[in-house]
Amino acid sequence: MATYKLNVNGKASQVDVSPDTPLLWALRDVLHLRGTKYGCGIGQCGACTVHLDGKAVRGCQTPVSAVGNKSVTTIEGLSANGTHPVQQAWVEMDVPQCGYCQAGQIMAASALLASKPRPTDSEIETAMNGNLCRCGTYPRIRMAVRRASQIAANGSKQPTQSAL
């Protein structure tokens, strides 16, 4: 066991875990931040996506020892009250069905928009490609990413789903 100091959602945290402990388990089991989900454990589904210095990474494949001084953001830290443009768009476009993958989807989408505020459809496809949705809500996810881009650009409440 070793002690790691982490910056999670803007707060200093400390975890006592083995160096090879996946960040996902440090977040869920030690820090009790359960919004980040366990899906496959091999980095293929995206349910465990978090931000490491703003970049989308798989929490199940990132050892806590590799985090260092980087800032970790989980779904709980994206916004205090659900006002992040991606969260707003997810509600507006009625994206979730079962909802299990949605935290990872939202984290991947928000990382994309932070680096490319006006992504093309191809860039959306590429960025979201590694996040699986068993319910098949991919068309709504794509619409929501486009909508979040609009919200972020101008704070607009229009156009709605039918206009996209």
Side-chain angles (χ1 to χ4, degrees):
M1 295 292 229
T3 299
Y4 295 93
K5 294 179 182 178
L6 304 175
N7 175 359
V8 180
N9 298 332
K11 297 176 187 163
S13 300
Q14 185 172 302
V15 296
D16 294 315
V17 296
S18 174
D20 62 347
T21 299
L23 178 59
L24 171 66
W25 299 123
L27 295 170
R28 289 184 57 81
D29 293 348
V30 180
L31 299 177
H32 306 290
L33 295 169
R34 301 225 167 86
T36 305
K37 303 298 185 206
Y38 172 79
C40 66
I42 59 171
Q44 297 297 305
C45 74
C48 65
T49 302
V50 296
H51 294 172
L52 201 55
D53 275 351
K55 182 182 177 205
V57 300
R58 301 294 195 246
C60 73
Q61 295 293 292
T62 304
V64 73
S65 59
V67 173
N69 293 325
K70 295 176 182 158
S71 175
V72 177
T73 305
T74 68
I75 189 72
E76 293 93 344
L78 198 56
S79 72
N81 56 3
T83 57
H84 187 280
V86 175
Q87 291 170 312
Q88 290 177 354
W90 245 245
V91 171
E92 188 177 320
M93 297 292 115
D94 195 25
V95 173
Q97 190 163 325
C98 85
Y100 195 83
C101 70
Q102 296 307 307
Q105 300 278 1
I106 288 169
M107 296 306 287
S110 61
L112 166 65
L113 294 176
S115 66
K116 293 189 177 287
R118 303 294 282 184
T120 65
D121 285 345
S122 177
E123 290 168 330
I124 293 170
E125 289 288 327
T126 298
M128 302 304 293
N129 190 36
N131 289 75
L132 303 179
C133 175
R134 295 247 184 227
C135 300
T137 64
Y138 299 113
R140 293 193 310 244
I141 289 168
R142 284 188 295 274
M143 282 192 305
V145 174
R146 289 193 296 269
R147 179 66 183 127
S149 175
Q150 293 171 338
I151 292 170
N154 60 18
S156 170
K157 293 295 181 194
Q158 298 295 328
T160 60
Q161 183 175 356
S162 61
L164 294 170

